[in-house]
Every structure is written in C-alpha cells, then in structure tokens.
Amino acid sequence: MITKCLFPVAGYGTRFLPATKAQPKEMLPILTKPLIQYGVEEALDAGMKNIAFVTGRNKRAIEDHFDITYELEDQISGTSKESKLDSIRELIEQCTFSYTRQTYMRGLGDAILTGETLIGDKPFGVILADDLCIGEPDGIMAQMVRIHERHRCSIIAVEEVPAEEVNKYGIISGQPLDEGCIRVERMVEKPAPQDAPSNLAIIGRYILTPDIFDILRNTPPGKNGELQITDALQTQAANGKVIAYRFKGRRFDCGSVEGFVAATNFFFDHQRAVQ
C-alpha cells in the first residue's frame, strides 16, 4: 500500500503576482479552501496519510495551515463558525506532515529528489497542487493507485490538450493497453507543436517507484537548464516501466488565472446546486 505523497510547493507563483508576493500560491483559495488542502484531501482519499512537503522561502503559511491555531479555535468555540474548521481538523488528525526545503529552484525533478529524505525506499505519490482535479467517481490519485497495483511501475496521469498547447507540457506516446492505460515509449518536455509525438500531456499527478531517485541523480539538466522529471521517467520508460493513465475526471490548471477562475466558478455552481 502506498502511504506517502510528496507535494513540491517551493515555486514562486509568478503568474499570480502581486497576490503571491508574500503568500504561497498553494494557499490561494478556491471558495473557502486553499488549493493545497484539495490536494491533501485527494492524497488521503487514496490512502496516503504521510504528507511530505518540499517547501521554500515564504511558504510558512502552508505549515501553519496544517496545524492547530489555538487562539482562533478558542474564539469560535461553541459558535456556528466552529464547523468551518471540520475539514482541516480531519486532515490534521488523520495525516502526518513533514517538511524539507528546496534551496534553489532547479525544476520539478530537483524538487522530487530533494524530497527523498522524507520518502525513503517505497513507491510514493506526487501531487502538484496547481492542478486541481476532480475524479469521477474516485479521486485521480485513488484511480492511479489501482493502476499501480496492477502494473507495479511508475504511473503518470495524462490528458489530451489542444495541439497549440503542447509546448506547455511533457508529452508522451506509446502502446495502448486496457482501461485507459498506455505503456510509455517516448516523452518530450515542452515540445514545439511540430515536434510533439502526440497531444497527450502529463499533468500534476504521479506515482513513482523509488529507483527514480538514483535516476534523477544521474540525469543531466534538460530543458531550461532544469532537472526534468520527464527525462528521468524516460529512462524508466526505456525499460517498459512507465504507464500513462487517461484518468476519469476533470482537471483545472489553477496555475493560470483562467484555470483558477474556471475552478472557482465550477465549485461555486456545484455548491449552490447542493444547497
């Protein structure tokens, strides 16, 4: 059983300046809940109770969010507002949280390698909180756990994107299997449209086997001089050890203003519909 999930949260969130000048982008709220909480809830839904954060400067608010705030709880104790903390209390009670810092921003691969000290030698999940996902009916990470149990290798979530947007993503190609799975043969980080092997884009959900750490250590910097997780995964894929999964559900790119607004509208409409 996979019990650990890694959250790389050290990025600066420059697309949301000035809002992210002094607060983590992961703490931006969709309605009344920050992005990072949606991600941790998805991890817990998949059975991952050990939550590991790779953080950076100005990320203290994330640590404070997943902790008790005695003064606030005392102020609202016994009032109608007390129930508003039920969801975060549940996470605090059921999960353990650990933190380490990424000193320099050298890409997602470097962030994952920095998290090795928190993960150890077992398979683990990775969630990028920028990608807010809604599974149908189960969470995306829970779906991926079932795929991993069958194939026992690294699993990456993919979805089709417009051809003109492939240069924003890692793009894969390979041999179709069953249940929305593809055995990956090729991965290209942010290709030009004419160089893309397909329009299947990797999104911010991974299950990685622990050999990825040694592979990352021996992977040279790639696109933009950063350590790319797609380059390390390509090494695994060369041995048939990466499965891409076309998940059942919907993803919002909350790293962009457009996606953030779309997610806010979606959750607002959903909340209004159930009231």
Side-chain angles (χ1 to χ4, degrees), residues 163-222:
E164 63 271 17
E165 294 184 11
V166 295
N167 62 344
K168 300 177 182 178
Y169 300 92
I171 303 296
I172 69 100
S173 63
Q175 293 299 316
L177 303 175
D178 58 349
E179 294 189 40
C181 293
I182 301 161
R183 190 171 299 281
V184 177
E185 296 176 346
R186 188 180 176 205
M187 311 176 78
V188 183
E189 181 65 20
K190 298 179 179 178
Q194 65 271 20
D195 298 326
S198 75
N199 69 332
L200 285 174
I202 304 168
I203 64 118
R205 299 293 184 275
Y206 306 78
I207 291 177
L208 302 176
T209 51
D211 59 309
I212 198 71
F213 295 123
D214 282 338
I215 295 171
L216 282 166
R217 268 187 284 274
N218 292 288
T219 299

Side-chain angles (χ1 to χ4, degrees), residues 9-263:
V9 295
Y12 293 121
T14 52
R15 286 186 286 180
F16 277 87
L17 287 171
T20 51
K21 180 177 181 292
Q23 73 165 328
K25 62 177 179 177
E26 296 82 8
M27 289 300 296
L28 294 174
I30 300 296
L31 302 189
T32 59
K33 208 158 53 176
L35 281 169
I36 192 67
Q37 185 172 334
Y38 287 97
V40 173
E41 288 172 348
E42 183 182 334
L44 179 60
D45 179 58
M48 301 176 188
K49 296 186 176 183
N50 299 314
I51 308 299
F53 293 102
V54 176
T55 70
R57 291 175 292 280
N58 295 329
K59 300 289 182 169
R60 178 66 184 273
I62 295 174
E63 296 183 42
D64 289 342
H65 184 68
F66 294 104
D67 198 359
I68 298 295
T69 308
Y70 293 102
E71 298 85 353
L72 172 63
E73 300 220 3
D74 181 65
Q75 284 290 321
I76 65 175
S77 178
T79 73
S80 60
K81 295 179 180 179
E82 189 173 12
S83 63
K84 294 182 180 296
L85 292 179
D86 286 350
S87 62
I88 187 62
R89 282 174 174 160
E90 181 180 352
L91 295 181
I92 293 170
E93 290 171 2
Q94 295 194 44
C95 299
T96 61
F97 300 92
S98 55
Y99 304 85
T100 190
R101 279 200 174 191
Q102 184 183 15
T103 308
Y104 301 102
M105 306 300 107
R106 293 174 175 156
L108 178 57
D110 182 70
I112 291 172
L113 184 56
T114 300
E116 180 181 15
T117 186
L118 305 177
I119 295 299
D121 60 357
K122 298 288 195 301
F124 61 101
V126 177
I127 289 180
L128 307 187
D130 285 1
D131 281 338
L132 176 54
C133 294
I134 303 160
E136 298 173 358
D138 299 323
I140 308 302
M141 190 57 75
Q143 296 175 33
M144 293 173 67
V145 166
R146 291 195 292 270
I147 302 298
H148 173 78
E149 287 171 350
R150 195 159 75 243
H151 292 280
R152 298 293 175 178
C153 64
S154 290
I155 313 295
I156 56 177
V158 297
E159 70 173 359
E160 291 188 12
V161 298
E164 63 271 17
E165 294 184 11
V166 295
N167 62 344
K168 300 177 182 178
Y169 300 92
I171 303 296
I172 69 100
S173 63
Q175 293 299 316
L177 303 175
D178 58 349
E179 294 189 40
C181 293
I182 301 161
R183 190 171 299 281
V184 177
E185 296 176 346
R186 188 180 176 205
M187 311 176 78
V188 183
E189 181 65 20
K190 298 179 179 178
Q194 65 271 20
D195 298 326
S198 75
N199 69 332
L200 285 174
I202 304 168
I203 64 118
R205 299 293 184 275
Y206 306 78
I207 291 177
L208 302 176
T209 51
D211 59 309
I212 198 71
F213 295 123
D214 282 338
I215 295 171
L216 282 166
R217 268 187 284 274
N218 292 288
T219 299
K223 190 90 171 182
N224 299 324
E226 296 180 337
L227 183 54
Q228 302 290 349
I229 187 61
T230 48
D231 292 340
L233 285 166
Q234 180 66 66
T235 300
Q236 290 185 329
N239 296 311
K241 298 297 186 180
V242 180
I243 298 293
Y245 172 59
R246 300 177 69 161
F247 60 89
K248 298 177 177 65
R250 182 172 179 179
R251 160 192 167 258
F252 295 96
D253 177 13
C254 291
S256 70
V257 173
E258 181 181 14
F260 186 87
V261 172

